[in-house]
Amino acid sequence: MPLAAAAVVIAAVWPVKTWADRYLPAGLGYAATVATLAVVFAAFTVAVYFCAAQVVFAFERDWDRFNVLYLRFAQWGELWGWPLDGQEAYGRLIGAARGLLQNVYATLAYLGFIALLVTFGLPEVPALRIKLRETFTRDEQRKVLEAVEDIAVKTRQYLGISTLTSLLTGVATTLLALAVGLDLALVWGVLNFLLNYIPVVGNVIGILPPSLYAFMQFQTATTPAFVLVGLTVIQLAISNVVYPMLQGRSLSLSPLAIIVALSFWSWVWGIAGAILAVPLSSAIVIACEAFPSTRWIARLLSEPEERKGWLARRPKGGGRQATSGEDGD
């Protein structure tokens, strides 16, 4: 998983390295690329810390009101045989906190290893081209290099589309929270921005925290229901319509293939697999498309030719559908 994540990061950041090499010496261009990655990682860390700190501050500020609501939930839980109060509930909370802390430590360890792989992997990209030329015949070189370059281009397109749709989701969520007077509006926007990088699952998770918080804040059914419906509409409009459509056009994956890929890679690698599912599956499709013996696999996972033409708004006419490496990307 760290190796796959590092490959995706290198593919995404390589244009920065190319641009820096045009204006800076080779060593400084490399340093500028690593510095760019460090800035992105720092921004991600600050965003997560900001969300957590704001939520903790809100609970400290309105503890009495939330405590009363918690006691109501505890009474409801006891009626259903799932106590939320007392020593047993305290043990559950401690266990959940320990599990969360272990996940944080594991995530930091993975991120550190990924950063190490990216740092040492960036200088190896030019050497990899030379090794490929020395290993394969001229025709094989062309196919392999075209496939690798196409994978890198599609990965950057996917990350760009994900960032755009995540930004739209975050802004729309923030505006909705401000419109209804929901506290922590910016927190919910940042949370949905980050979670939107996980297809489908992140969309569902992003709806629940602000809806539950709205119920705790307003303690009525009308406003929380409006928040829930509003967030659902936002997610359906952006994440389940625009997002798969743009993915299918840029990555040539069918929506069903995206869902299956998400399920498979999530089963293999958890949340990290969900984030990497689309780039990895796209890489498999492009690699299979490059060789006749595996091209049928790419055809099964790709969008049908008619639908790809409709999604891309291409004019009707003769000629076959361009394959990966032939579409000008």
Side-chain angles (χ1 to χ4, degrees):
M1 187 277 289
L3 183 61
V8 171
V9 172
I10 291 174
V13 80
W14 188 251
V16 177
K17 175 72 165 55
T18 304
W19 178 84
D21 287 341
R22 294 178 183 174
Y23 305 99
L24 298 172
L28 291 180
Y30 171 72
T33 305
V34 175
T36 302
L37 285 174
V39 169
V40 173
F41 176 74
F44 170 79
T45 304
V46 169
V48 173
Y49 176 80
F50 168 78
C51 291
Q54 290 295 312
V55 171
V56 170
F57 175 75
F59 273 91
E60 289 180 349
R61 181 189 59 197
D62 300 325
W63 173 252
D64 292 337
R65 183 177 61 185
F66 294 146
N67 189 43
V68 172
L69 189 61
Y70 175 77
L71 293 177
R72 294 180 182 175
F73 275 110
Q75 294 175 356
W76 177 82
E78 289 179 358
L79 294 176
W80 288 90
W82 199 74
L84 299 174
D85 199 4
Q87 190 67 27
E88 185 178 355
Y90 178 77
R92 289 199 188 100
L93 292 176
I94 293 298
R98 287 176 179 172
L100 180 61
L101 190 61
Q102 290 175 356
N103 289 333
V104 170
Y105 286 148
T107 301
L108 291 177
Y110 274 124
L111 289 177
F113 188 41
I114 291 170
L116 187 66
L117 289 173
V118 172
T119 302
F120 287 98
L122 278 171
E124 291 295 322
V125 174
L128 179 61
R129 287 175 172 268
I130 298 175
K131 293 176 182 178
L132 290 175
R133 292 191 180 98
E134 294 175 348
T135 303
F136 298 101
T137 64
R138 182 175 299 274
D139 186 56
E140 290 174 336
Q141 286 178 22
R142 181 183 60 81
K143 290 182 178 180
V144 172
L145 289 176
E146 284 181 355
V148 171
E149 292 175 356
D150 200 15
I151 288 170
V153 170
K154 299 299 185 183
T155 299
R156 288 192 288 271
Q157 289 178 347
Y158 165 74
L159 293 176
I161 292 169
S162 297
T163 301
L164 175 61
T165 54
S166 297
L167 184 61
L168 291 174
T169 304
V171 171
T173 301
T174 302
L175 294 177
L176 176 65
L178 291 174
V180 301
L182 181 63
D183 294 339
L184 307 178
L186 186 58
V187 170
W188 308 130
V190 173
L191 179 66
N192 276 272
F193 170 79
L194 297 175
L195 288 174
N196 214 60
Y197 281 97
I198 304 177
V200 183
V201 177
N203 309 143
V204 175
I205 296 176
I207 294 173
L208 297 179
S211 301
L212 294 175
Y213 191 89
F215 184 77
M216 291 188 293
Q217 176 183 340
F218 298 104
Q219 298 188 12
T220 60
T222 305
T223 304
F226 182 81
V227 171
L228 178 62
V229 172
L231 291 176
T232 302
V233 170
I234 290 173
Q235 294 289 0
L236 288 175
I238 297 177
S239 300
N240 295 333
V241 177
V242 179
Y243 192 78
M245 183 177 66
L246 294 177
Q247 277 185 350
R249 183 174 64 184
S250 65
L251 297 176
S252 299
L253 291 176
S254 67
L256 179 60
I258 293 174
I259 299 299
V260 173
L262 177 66
S263 302
F264 174 76
W265 292 110
S266 299
W267 172 64
V268 174
W269 287 335
I271 296 177
I275 296 174
L276 297 174
V278 174
L280 290 177
S281 302
S282 177
I284 292 173
V285 168
I286 293 171
C288 292
E289 181 71 24
F291 304 97
S293 60
T294 57
R295 195 162 291 162
W296 64 274
I297 300 175
R299 292 288 184 262
L300 289 177
L301 297 176
S302 300
E303 278 276 27
E305 187 171 332
E306 298 80 4
R307 187 169 182 180
K308 284 198 290 188
W310 172 74
L311 289 173
R313 300 275 196 257
R314 291 174 182 169
K316 296 181 179 179
R320 64 182 180 87
Q321 178 70 32
T323 60
S324 300
E326 299 176 339
D327 56 2
D329 287 327

